[in-house]
Amino acid sequence: MSQTTQRRQHGQRLRIFLLAVISRVILLLGMALSCATIPDFHSGDDVLQFNLRLENPNNAAGSTCFCLQGHACDKGATARRHSSVMNGNLCAGDDNNTKQHIRYDWLDQLYSFVLPPITKWDAARMLTLSVDPWARYASLPFIEQATFNDVEDDATTCNATTADEFNKVLNRSEQAHAFLPLFPLIIRCTADFLINSIPHSFLPSTYEATIAFTAVIVNILAFAIAAVSLYDLTIFMSMRNDLATPKEDETSNNKTINYCDISKTTAELFCVNPAGVFFTSAYSESVFAMLTFGGHALAARGLYYNASSKMRNSSSDRSRLVSYFWVLSTLLWALASYVRSNGTFSSIWWMLIGIGQCCSYIYTAISAKRDDKVCIRAMTVKCATILCCHGILALAVAAPVFYHDKRGYRFHCMETNSSVFNKPEWCTQAEDSTKFSLYAHVQRKHWNVGLLRYYELKQIPNFILAMPVLLLSFGAAAWWIITSWNRHMNIGCDGADCKNSITLKNVFWWAFQALSSSSDSVNNIPSVSNSSQLLLGPSCLPYYAILAGFALVGTFVAHVQISTRLICSSCPALYWFVTILITSAQKNGKDNENHARSTRTTHLIWFYFLLYNILGSIMHVNWLPWT
């Protein structure tokens, strides 16, 4: 890669980073304007709301209070909880509360304008867990003390009231288990850093508002890094697929430029994706996308280096880097799984890569007609080793979710003091079954998540809202399958001879060849008409498989309205497919009869992306249902 190309890529990375930041700021201002001008819809008494305390930062005594008792900023919170002496309406008595800080009215008004819209719906839970990490625990020492200190003539009533309070806290604790702890931890630690580094005059006047402000900063930076990571992933995936295509000439500068162009388009689409409001609010989507796309970018870089080394028949100087890239990718994906449970889908990538490598070795042996026992034995051992290693990496990616499940069981069923109240009913079920999942139980109990559980007439509007992203996802997977079928089943034929019937034998043979060519081995494939078609290359199989998996989960298992943010934060293949549609329309000549249809498709895609950003900034921030 020439220095000119590298400089061009560095310049585009910087522009994409700035575009991502600007897009978040614009959307945040639009959300704030919508929140300030449109009256809030009544969300229901059972919906958790987060109080920033910006309108009334004073405590019960009337003095300004930055940190309340029991919050993460309270240095004596642990001691208070153990001694059962705590009042969430009183100041913590820390230095932040006792010191007098100069306040700027215009800055306080800006915070009061910008921060409220990012606290709606699930963002309230994220912020609550950031402010009060003990909200995950069901044990309440002060409830137990109140039970034993009841007045004798009113003991029954007081015990019943306390039991009801405990059940409410237990439900809140169970619901908190559905939100993994890494994102609130990042927000809390970053807020502590800001509090200790920036003069308090420039921060919001309350700890709750400071946590919300920190969530905005973290999400904006994480979103920008995710956009750059998607750009890098697209470049290296395109170059890796291009290595396998026959070269008619040695001039690669134009193709490299096309790599930059399609990668830039992909990143720009991410910057205006239809789930933009969730990437801006205090949701975990931005951090999750940063970790997921970053891991994919590192893995793609390592695989490209390995493939290019094999093409040059060079030593393993660069191919040795693959193991380091894979370790880093696994680490990022494991962290992503500790942010959102759908991060476990990245383990599918590892398994498909491992199966693809085994199929590649088998295909090579079949092509060389090597069927002796020594070859079969060596191939079996090698495939077993590959599958074992990739299985370990896949388990490492999913391990944080299992750990979170076990941790939730421990502090609900083992650490909760049962001298006053019974343990949750599911504790017995968890003890009797090794397959019990607390996360799945909580999702099923509190949100009715499960196979076809959401198929109700009243959910039709939510299915309509999710329909565009689901159609794009299934369309992308189908397009890749058709392209792969034509690539592998129509080699060496033309005209009517290329019409292979879809039989069970052909389907299995196609699947075998597709897995084989998706590995890091370089296999010759037909040349492509334009560089955007490289995003449908054989090595893209794991990405389109994951996209199809998420689309199936969103359609049949999860709440269908979350499909938009679920897929937009997890699946690079969605943006690749949209990039293909857009660039194909741009390459069609004006005299082409398909040009008008391609142009309409492009306009419809941009309209969908922008419309959902506008509607999201209106509906979500005013407590209206949104995807």
Side-chain angles (χ1 to χ4, degrees), residues 426-460:
W426 53 261
C427 287
T428 304
Q429 183 181 356
E431 293 171 356
D432 297 338
S433 175
T434 57
K435 297 181 180 180
F436 178 80
S437 171
L438 176 56
Y439 181 85
H441 170 78
V442 169
Q443 291 280 3
R444 184 171 55 253
K445 174 184 175 181
H446 295 282
W447 288 281
N448 195 34
V449 174
L451 183 62
L452 301 181
R453 282 173 172 257
Y454 219 58
Y455 277 67
E456 300 174 334
L457 290 177
K458 65 180 181 180
Q459 303 299 343
I460 290 178

Side-chain angles (χ1 to χ4, degrees), residues 68-72 74 76-88 128 131-143 145 169 172:
L68 296 177
Q69 290 186 10
H71 287 178
D74 181 9
T78 303
R80 287 192 180 94
R81 287 180 179 273
H82 284 292
S83 63
S84 303
V85 179
M86 183 178 64
N87 189 334
T128 298
V131 169
D132 183 12
W134 294 276
R136 293 185 179 277
Y137 294 85
S139 57
L140 293 178
F142 63 88
I143 288 181
Q145 183 184 24
V169 174
R172 186 183 70 173

Side-chain angles (χ1 to χ4, degrees), residues 356-368:
Q357 289 183 352
C358 290
C359 291
S360 178
Y361 290 125
I362 296 173
Y363 184 81
T364 302
I366 293 175
S367 300

Side-chain angles (χ1 to χ4, degrees), residues 472 479 532-533 575-586 588 598 601-602 605:
L472 283 174
W479 199 322
S532 66
Q533 295 298 315
Y575 303 102
W576 293 344
F577 177 63
V578 176
T579 298
I580 292 170
L581 295 179
I582 292 177
T583 55
S584 298
Q586 293 173 347
N588 284 333
S598 300
T601 301
T602 302
I605 290 172

Side-chain angles (χ1 to χ4, degrees), residues 346-400:
S346 296
S347 60
I348 297 176
W349 190 92
W350 279 126
M351 295 309 301
L352 287 175
I353 290 295
I355 295 172
Q357 289 183 352
C358 290
C359 291
S360 178
Y361 290 125
I362 296 173
Y363 184 81
T364 302
I366 293 175
S367 300
K369 297 182 179 180
R370 298 179 59 185
D371 55 356
D372 55 282
K373 293 183 178 180
V374 176
C375 177
I376 294 175
R377 189 181 301 112
M379 188 168 54
T380 302
V381 172
K382 195 164 189 177
C383 286
T385 304
I386 290 174
L387 292 178
C388 182
C389 293
H390 284 73
I392 292 173
L393 292 173
L395 287 175
V397 171

Side-chain angles (χ1 to χ4, degrees), residues 402-415:
F402 297 127
Y403 167 75
H404 181 63
D405 243 15
K406 295 298 181 183
R407 181 168 172 261
Y409 166 78
R410 187 175 67 249
F411 67 66
H412 278 99
C413 302
M414 299 176 65
E415 297 179 1

Side-chain angles (χ1 to χ4, degrees), residues 88-109:
N89 295 320
L90 296 179
C91 286
D94 296 335
D95 292 339
N96 293 329
N97 292 322
T98 57
K99 290 182 179 179
Q100 296 295 326
H101 302 287
I102 300 175
R103 302 300 308 173
Y104 300 99
D105 290 339
W106 65 270
L107 193 56
D108 289 338
Q109 292 176 2

